[in-house]
Amino acid sequence: GDTKNARDPIVANLGPAGDTFDLRFLNAIIAHHEEGILMTKETRRKSSREEILNNADAVEAFLTKGIQALKELRSNWYNL
């Protein structure tokens, strides 16, 4: 009976091409992955289904690894 829909994700406008386009992309995708991790944590608090919990674990591991790789690129390219 729950009819609540999840909101559509907001797609960032990364602006024009140029010297800082890649930095804007990295910053946006890191933030997007961090939001995904917040969703997995909420899922663990609210779900009791083993399949959902296992999926949340796998998604969080994937996103965490991705964030680390993206931050490494950002650090290497922009010293941030």
Side-chain angles (χ1 to χ4, degrees), residues 14-64:
L14 300 177
D19 292 344
T20 60
F21 178 83
D22 293 340
L23 177 59
R24 292 191 307 270
F25 169 76
L26 290 171
N27 288 337
I29 201 71
I30 289 167
H32 179 75
H33 279 31
E34 290 170 343
E35 289 289 325
I37 289 173
L38 292 176
M39 290 174 62
T40 65
K41 292 181 185 310
E42 179 180 5
T43 298
R44 274 198 222 83
R45 289 192 311 271
K46 296 180 178 179
S47 180
S48 60
R49 295 181 186 269
E50 184 178 350
E51 297 88 350
I52 296 293
L53 296 172
N54 289 342
N55 183 266
D57 290 341
V59 168
E60 184 169 338
F62 172 79
L63 294 175
T64 298

